[in-house]
Amino acid sequence: MARKQGYSGLQIGLHWVVAVLIAAAFITHEDMGRALRSRLESGETGAPLHVWFGIAALVFIALRIVVRAFHGAPPPPAGQPHWADLAAIWGHRVLYLLMIAAPLLGIAAWYGGLRSAGDVHEVVGKALVILAAAHAAVAILHAILRRDGVLTRMVRPQV
Ligand code: HEM
Ligand code: HEM
């Protein structure tokens, strides 16, 4: 995979659109358990906001992964310990994995009628939001404590 000095404008735009859509899906998750039960029991067809935000998130996540495959990603910032490089690389991989798994499991529950997928979806969705919050905290700590420009590279495009 290509190694670049920074993220492109498109990658940065997609990062923030996906972040907002995941936050929106999380904020609207309440009552989804009840909505799923009534859908499975009485065949109700309307889709709640949570479903729309979640599907929109999946579309942009897929796009983001394609763009990353072509553009690549910058290496971790210089001068930090090896364990921090590994934490960043694996943290981002797990974020991508959860970003794909959470909406797919939601779709399997909602459109496929799989209750067990719904149970796993709840756990995976929460894990995604917790890891994303930790990720955001680490990005902000980089800006405050290390001032190594890591936060800026998800703001200012570099081709
Ligand atoms: C990244 C996107 C998503 C996130 C972060 C997310 C997160 C969550 C969370 C945290 C819960 C609930 C937990 C609880 O009440 O304990 C939930 C429930 C649910 N979500 Fe999502 N969700 C996403 C996408 C989707 C999509 C795309 C669908 C369907 C098309 C969906 C369908 C559902 C359903 C049916 C439930 C209820 C599950 C059950 O009670 O078994 N979600 N989601
Ligand atoms: C749902 C919310 C979020 C998700 C799922 C998410 C996910 C990701 C992923 C997967 C990457 C790696 C990009 C790549 O190499 O292709 C990344 C990078 C980054 N994110 Fe987020 N992010 C979220 C929210 C945030 C927030 C709120 C902030 C800032 C406060 C932030 C700051 C950054 C920064 C600075 C990078 C670049 C890190 C680097 O170059 O090593 N992210 N994000």
Side-chain angles (χ1 to χ4, degrees), residues 22 26 98 102 105 120-130:
I22 289 176
F26 183 68
L98 297 177
L105 287 161
V120 187
H121 171 73
E122 288 188 14
V123 176
V124 172
K126 279 178 189 160
L128 168 60
V129 170
I130 291 168

Side-chain angles (χ1 to χ4, degrees), residues 25 29 32-33 36 50-51 54-55 103 106-107 110-111 118 121-122 126:
H29 80 242
M32 277 308 292
L36 179 62
H50 178 77
V51 166
I55 290 176
I107 288 169
W110 188 257
Y111 293 106
H121 171 73
E122 288 188 14
K126 279 178 189 160

Side-chain angles (χ1 to χ4, degrees), residues 7 11 15-16 18-20 22-23 64 68 72-77 88 91-93 95-96 99 128-129 132-133 135-137 139-140 149-155:
Y7 297 100
Q11 283 177 302
H15 173 270
W16 294 111
V18 167
V20 167
I22 289 176
R64 189 171 161 190
R68 191 194 204 273
H92 294 164
R93 283 180 186 165
L95 275 171
Y96 277 121
M99 279 194 280
L128 168 60
V129 170
H135 157 81
I140 290 165
V150 160
L151 186 55
T152 327
R153 63 189 189 176
M154 212 27 119
V155 178

Side-chain angles (χ1 to χ4, degrees), residues 18-43:
V18 167
V20 167
L21 288 171
I22 289 176
F26 183 68
I27 290 166
T28 53
H29 80 242
E30 231 176 287
D31 266 2
M32 277 308 292
R34 209 167 42 80
L36 179 62
R37 271 194 305 281
S38 69
R39 181 178 172 83
L40 296 183
E41 280 152 24
S42 60

